[in-house]
Amino acid sequence: MRNVSLIGMPGSGKSTVGVLLAKALGYSFIDTDLLIQRQEGELLQAVLDRLGTERFLDTEAEVIAALDCHHTVIAPGGSAVLRELGARRLKALGPVVYLELPSSSLEKRLGNLATRGVTLAPGQTIEDLYNYRRPFYEKYADVTVNADQPSAEDTVALVLAALREL
């Protein structure tokens, strides 16, 4: 495998599972939200506030499109699949795993959305966002893993099993 990308909603465990998966595979790890923060020189929520949703999504897609890595686990932001440029680049880099989590579990995990860098439209709920994004995750995923597990290690085990079957 060249690389593995983990997609899914904010709070689905992409970064946590990604670090553990990278260790298990002996790969490097990239969190594209951190790349955006470094490029823009401010925290993700500040970038989103300054750019607005549409420009933020374009920036995110451009950062992902510029990725050039090998033997790396990539954890993009939850909105990465909303721009074809970024989603296609993730597919080109290697298998894409959708970490699926019910919206009820997401709400428990997310906490304060005001500081999390989540691209919510005014009045939009997590359930609304989940229903909007789910078809994109399903479209770009090579495999879907139920991330509603007792521990991140359990989710990693499921991802490893799914990758072996690809």
Side-chain angles (χ1 to χ4, degrees), residues 10-33:
S12 63
K14 296 179 301 291
S15 295
T16 303
V17 169
V19 168
L20 296 172
L21 181 62
K23 287 181 181 181
L25 294 171
Y27 281 18
S28 298
F29 174 76
I30 292 174
D31 182 324
T32 64
D33 285 349

PDB file of all heavy atoms in Angstrom, residues 10-33:
ATOM      1  N   PRO A  10     -16.189  14.965  11.571  1.00  0.00           N
ATOM      2  CA  PRO A  10     -15.401  15.396  12.722  1.00  0.00           C
ATOM      3  C   PRO A  10     -15.832  14.563  13.938  1.00  0.00           C
ATOM      4  O   PRO A  10     -17.025  14.329  14.129  1.00  0.00           O
ATOM      5  CB  PRO A  10     -15.794  16.861  12.905  1.00  0.00           C
ATOM      6  CG  PRO A  10     -16.330  17.282  11.580  1.00  0.00           C
ATOM      7  CD  PRO A  10     -16.953  16.057  10.972  1.00  0.00           C
ATOM      8  N   GLY A  11     -14.872  14.111  14.707  1.00  0.00           N
ATOM      9  CA  GLY A  11     -15.182  13.300  15.873  1.00  0.00           C
ATOM     10  C   GLY A  11     -15.237  11.808  15.603  1.00  0.00           C
ATOM     11  O   GLY A  11     -15.414  11.018  16.527  1.00  0.00           O
ATOM     12  N   SER A  12     -15.070  11.399  14.347  1.00  0.00           N
ATOM     13  CA  SER A  12     -15.133   9.970  14.027  1.00  0.00           C
ATOM     14  C   SER A  12     -13.850   9.234  14.388  1.00  0.00           C
ATOM     15  O   SER A  12     -13.817   8.006  14.366  1.00  0.00           O
ATOM     16  CB  SER A  12     -15.464   9.762  12.539  1.00  0.00           C
ATOM     17  OG  SER A  12     -14.440  10.295  11.717  1.00  0.00           O
ATOM     18  N   GLY A  13     -12.797   9.983  14.715  1.00  0.00           N
ATOM     19  CA  GLY A  13     -11.558   9.344  15.151  1.00  0.00           C
ATOM     20  C   GLY A  13     -10.450   9.331  14.127  1.00  0.00           C
ATOM     21  O   GLY A  13      -9.463   8.606  14.293  1.00  0.00           O
ATOM     22  N   LYS A  14     -10.572  10.129  13.078  1.00  0.00           N
ATOM     23  CA  LYS A  14      -9.561  10.099  12.009  1.00  0.00           C
ATOM     24  C   LYS A  14      -8.152  10.341  12.529  1.00  0.00           C
ATOM     25  O   LYS A  14      -7.228   9.600  12.183  1.00  0.00           O
ATOM     26  CB  LYS A  14      -9.904  11.119  10.920  1.00  0.00           C
ATOM     27  CG  LYS A  14     -11.196  10.836  10.199  1.00  0.00           C
ATOM     28  CD  LYS A  14     -11.514  11.870   9.144  1.00  0.00           C
ATOM     29  CE  LYS A  14     -11.628  13.272   9.657  1.00  0.00           C
ATOM     30  NZ  LYS A  14     -12.790  13.543  10.513  1.00  0.00           N
ATOM     31  N   SER A  15      -7.970  11.355  13.355  1.00  0.00           N
ATOM     32  CA  SER A  15      -6.620  11.663  13.855  1.00  0.00           C
ATOM     33  C   SER A  15      -6.150  10.636  14.880  1.00  0.00           C
ATOM     34  O   SER A  15      -5.023  10.141  14.805  1.00  0.00           O
ATOM     35  CB  SER A  15      -6.588  13.064  14.472  1.00  0.00           C
ATOM     36  OG  SER A  15      -6.840  14.031  13.471  1.00  0.00           O
ATOM     37  N   THR A  16      -7.002  10.297  15.819  1.00  0.00           N
ATOM     38  CA  THR A  16      -6.618   9.333  16.857  1.00  0.00           C
ATOM     39  C   THR A  16      -6.330   7.962  16.254  1.00  0.00           C
ATOM     40  O   THR A  16      -5.286   7.354  16.503  1.00  0.00           O
ATOM     41  CB  THR A  16      -7.734   9.220  17.918  1.00  0.00           C
ATOM     42  OG1 THR A  16      -7.978  10.514  18.461  1.00  0.00           O
ATOM     43  CG2 THR A  16      -7.354   8.258  19.023  1.00  0.00           C
ATOM     44  N   VAL A  17      -7.251   7.472  15.457  1.00  0.00           N
ATOM     45  CA  VAL A  17      -7.082   6.174  14.796  1.00  0.00           C
ATOM     46  C   VAL A  17      -5.914   6.251  13.818  1.00  0.00           C
ATOM     47  O   VAL A  17      -5.133   5.303  13.687  1.00  0.00           O
ATOM     48  CB  VAL A  17      -8.387   5.749  14.083  1.00  0.00           C
ATOM     49  CG1 VAL A  17      -8.170   4.547  13.176  1.00  0.00           C
ATOM     50  CG2 VAL A  17      -9.469   5.460  15.123  1.00  0.00           C
ATOM     51  N   GLY A  18      -5.775   7.398  13.157  1.00  0.00           N
ATOM     52  CA  GLY A  18      -4.704   7.563  12.175  1.00  0.00           C
ATOM     53  C   GLY A  18      -3.321   7.395  12.773  1.00  0.00           C
ATOM     54  O   GLY A  18      -2.457   6.723  12.192  1.00  0.00           O
ATOM     55  N   VAL A  19      -3.086   7.998  13.924  1.00  0.00           N
ATOM     56  CA  VAL A  19      -1.783   7.870  14.586  1.00  0.00           C
ATOM     57  C   VAL A  19      -1.518   6.412  14.955  1.00  0.00           C
ATOM     58  O   VAL A  19      -0.435   5.879  14.704  1.00  0.00           O
ATOM     59  CB  VAL A  19      -1.706   8.778  15.835  1.00  0.00           C
ATOM     60  CG1 VAL A  19      -0.493   8.443  16.678  1.00  0.00           C
ATOM     61  CG2 VAL A  19      -1.671  10.248  15.420  1.00  0.00           C
ATOM     62  N   LEU A  20      -2.515   5.754  15.529  1.00  0.00           N
ATOM     63  CA  LEU A  20      -2.352   4.353  15.922  1.00  0.00           C
ATOM     64  C   LEU A  20      -2.182   3.442  14.705  1.00  0.00           C
ATOM     65  O   LEU A  20      -1.381   2.501  14.731  1.00  0.00           O
ATOM     66  CB  LEU A  20      -3.554   3.896  16.757  1.00  0.00           C
ATOM     67  CG  LEU A  20      -3.735   4.603  18.101  1.00  0.00           C
ATOM     68  CD1 LEU A  20      -5.054   4.199  18.735  1.00  0.00           C
ATOM     69  CD2 LEU A  20      -2.562   4.311  19.025  1.00  0.00           C
ATOM     70  N   LEU A  21      -2.917   3.726  13.642  1.00  0.00           N
ATOM     71  CA  LEU A  21      -2.796   2.945  12.412  1.00  0.00           C
ATOM     72  C   LEU A  21      -1.409   3.116  11.792  1.00  0.00           C
ATOM     73  O   LEU A  21      -0.797   2.146  11.340  1.00  0.00           O
ATOM     74  CB  LEU A  21      -3.889   3.359  11.420  1.00  0.00           C
ATOM     75  CG  LEU A  21      -3.915   2.614  10.091  1.00  0.00           C
ATOM     76  CD1 LEU A  21      -4.174   1.120  10.291  1.00  0.00           C
ATOM     77  CD2 LEU A  21      -4.990   3.232   9.172  1.00  0.00           C
ATOM     78  N   ALA A  22      -0.918   4.358  11.803  1.00  0.00           N
ATOM     79  CA  ALA A  22       0.428   4.612  11.265  1.00  0.00           C
ATOM     80  C   ALA A  22       1.471   3.811  12.044  1.00  0.00           C
ATOM     81  O   ALA A  22       2.381   3.210  11.446  1.00  0.00           O
ATOM     82  CB  ALA A  22       0.744   6.104  11.316  1.00  0.00           C
ATOM     83  N   LYS A  23       1.350   3.779  13.349  1.00  0.00           N
ATOM     84  CA  LYS A  23       2.277   2.989  14.169  1.00  0.00           C
ATOM     85  C   LYS A  23       2.181   1.519  13.821  1.00  0.00           C
ATOM     86  O   LYS A  23       3.201   0.829  13.693  1.00  0.00           O
ATOM     87  CB  LYS A  23       2.001   3.207  15.654  1.00  0.00           C
ATOM     88  CG  LYS A  23       2.452   4.555  16.165  1.00  0.00           C
ATOM     89  CD  LYS A  23       2.162   4.689  17.653  1.00  0.00           C
ATOM     90  CE  LYS A  23       2.603   6.049  18.159  1.00  0.00           C
ATOM     91  NZ  LYS A  23       2.344   6.201  19.608  1.00  0.00           N
ATOM     92  N   ALA A  24       0.963   1.009  13.663  1.00  0.00           N
ATOM     93  CA  ALA A  24       0.756  -0.409  13.369  1.00  0.00           C
ATOM     94  C   ALA A  24       1.327  -0.800  12.002  1.00  0.00           C
ATOM     95  O   ALA A  24       1.809  -1.915  11.819  1.00  0.00           O
ATOM     96  CB  ALA A  24      -0.735  -0.751  13.434  1.00  0.00           C
ATOM     97  N   LEU A  25       1.264   0.148  11.053  1.00  0.00           N
ATOM     98  CA  LEU A  25       1.759  -0.127   9.701  1.00  0.00           C
ATOM     99  C   LEU A  25       3.227   0.263   9.513  1.00  0.00           C
ATOM    100  O   LEU A  25       3.823  -0.074   8.488  1.00  0.00           O
ATOM    101  CB  LEU A  25       0.912   0.639   8.666  1.00  0.00           C
ATOM    102  CG  LEU A  25      -0.551   0.211   8.523  1.00  0.00           C
ATOM    103  CD1 LEU A  25      -1.304   1.203   7.642  1.00  0.00           C
ATOM    104  CD2 LEU A  25      -0.638  -1.206   7.951  1.00  0.00           C
ATOM    105  N   GLY A  26       3.779   1.007  10.466  1.00  0.00           N
ATOM    106  CA  GLY A  26       5.132   1.534  10.297  1.00  0.00           C
ATOM    107  C   GLY A  26       5.171   2.686   9.298  1.00  0.00           C
ATOM    108  O   GLY A  26       6.155   2.883   8.599  1.00  0.00           O
ATOM    109  N   TYR A  27       4.077   3.434   9.232  1.00  0.00           N
ATOM    110  CA  TYR A  27       3.927   4.545   8.297  1.00  0.00           C
ATOM    111  C   TYR A  27       4.105   5.881   9.016  1.00  0.00           C
ATOM    112  O   TYR A  27       4.055   5.961  10.240  1.00  0.00           O
ATOM    113  CB  TYR A  27       2.519   4.538   7.679  1.00  0.00           C
ATOM    114  CG  TYR A  27       2.290   3.561   6.558  1.00  0.00           C
ATOM    115  CD1 TYR A  27       3.129   2.476   6.323  1.00  0.00           C
ATOM    116  CD2 TYR A  27       1.194   3.702   5.723  1.00  0.00           C
ATOM    117  CE1 TYR A  27       2.895   1.587   5.284  1.00  0.00           C
ATOM    118  CE2 TYR A  27       0.936   2.818   4.681  1.00  0.00           C
ATOM    119  CZ  TYR A  27       1.791   1.766   4.466  1.00  0.00           C
ATOM    120  OH  TYR A  27       1.552   0.897   3.445  1.00  0.00           O
ATOM    121  N   SER A  28       4.225   6.935   8.230  1.00  0.00           N
ATOM    122  CA  SER A  28       4.169   8.298   8.750  1.00  0.00           C
ATOM    123  C   SER A  28       2.700   8.681   8.908  1.00  0.00           C
ATOM    124  O   SER A  28       1.809   7.964   8.453  1.00  0.00           O
ATOM    125  CB  SER A  28       4.846   9.273   7.787  1.00  0.00           C
ATOM    126  OG  SER A  28       6.196   8.945   7.640  1.00  0.00           O
ATOM    127  N   PHE A  29       2.466   9.847   9.511  1.00  0.00           N
ATOM    128  CA  PHE A  29       1.107  10.321   9.720  1.00  0.00           C
ATOM    129  C   PHE A  29       1.014  11.794   9.364  1.00  0.00           C
ATOM    130  O   PHE A  29       1.882  12.586   9.733  1.00  0.00           O
ATOM    131  CB  PHE A  29       0.689  10.124  11.183  1.00  0.00           C
ATOM    132  CG  PHE A  29      -0.655  10.714  11.495  1.00  0.00           C
ATOM    133  CD1 PHE A  29      -1.813  10.079  11.089  1.00  0.00           C
ATOM    134  CD2 PHE A  29      -0.765  11.917  12.177  1.00  0.00           C
ATOM    135  CE1 PHE A  29      -3.062  10.631  11.369  1.00  0.00           C
ATOM    136  CE2 PHE A  29      -2.004  12.473  12.459  1.00  0.00           C
ATOM    137  CZ  PHE A  29      -3.158  11.828  12.053  1.00  0.00           C
ATOM    138  N   ILE A  30      -0.058  12.155   8.645  1.00  0.00           N
ATOM    139  CA  ILE A  30      -0.319  13.555   8.290  1.00  0.00           C
ATOM    140  C   ILE A  30      -1.767  13.880   8.644  1.00  0.00           C
ATOM    141  O   ILE A  30      -2.681  13.170   8.237  1.00  0.00           O
ATOM    142  CB  ILE A  30      -0.113  13.823   6.780  1.00  0.00           C
ATOM    143  CG1 ILE A  30       1.344  13.693   6.389  1.00  0.00           C
ATOM    144  CG2 ILE A  30      -0.646  15.200   6.393  1.00  0.00           C
ATOM    145  CD1 ILE A  30       1.585  13.807   4.889  1.00  0.00           C
ATOM    146  N   ASP A  31      -1.957  14.975   9.380  1.00  0.00           N
ATOM    147  CA  ASP A  31      -3.279  15.532   9.656  1.00  0.00           C
ATOM    148  C   ASP A  31      -3.367  16.801   8.810  1.00  0.00           C
ATOM    149  O   ASP A  31      -2.645  17.770   9.067  1.00  0.00           O
ATOM    150  CB  ASP A  31      -3.406  15.843  11.145  1.00  0.00           C
ATOM    151  CG  ASP A  31      -4.775  16.387  11.524  1.00  0.00           C
ATOM    152  OD1 ASP A  31      -5.377  17.140  10.731  1.00  0.00           O
ATOM    153  OD2 ASP A  31      -5.229  16.078  12.635  1.00  0.00           O
ATOM    154  N   THR A  32      -4.220  16.799   7.796  1.00  0.00           N
ATOM    155  CA  THR A  32      -4.248  17.942   6.878  1.00  0.00           C
ATOM    156  C   THR A  32      -4.773  19.215   7.542  1.00  0.00           C
ATOM    157  O   THR A  32      -4.446  20.308   7.083  1.00  0.00           O
ATOM    158  CB  THR A  32      -5.048  17.641   5.590  1.00  0.00           C
ATOM    159  OG1 THR A  32      -6.420  17.414   5.913  1.00  0.00           O
ATOM    160  CG2 THR A  32      -4.465  16.437   4.862  1.00  0.00           C
ATOM    161  N   ASP A  33      -5.548  19.089   8.618  1.00  0.00           N
ATOM    162  CA  ASP A  33      -5.961  20.295   9.346  1.00  0.00           C
ATOM    163  C   ASP A  33      -4.735  21.027   9.892  1.00  0.00           C
ATOM    164  O   ASP A  33      -4.674  22.262   9.872  1.00  0.00           O
ATOM    165  CB  ASP A  33      -6.904  19.955  10.496  1.00  0.00           C
ATOM    166  CG  ASP A  33      -8.308  19.602  10.041  1.00  0.00           C
ATOM    167  OD1 ASP A  33      -8.632  19.816   8.855  1.00  0.00           O
ATOM    168  OD2 ASP A  33      -9.090  19.107  10.882  1.00  0.00           O
TER     169      ASP A  33
END
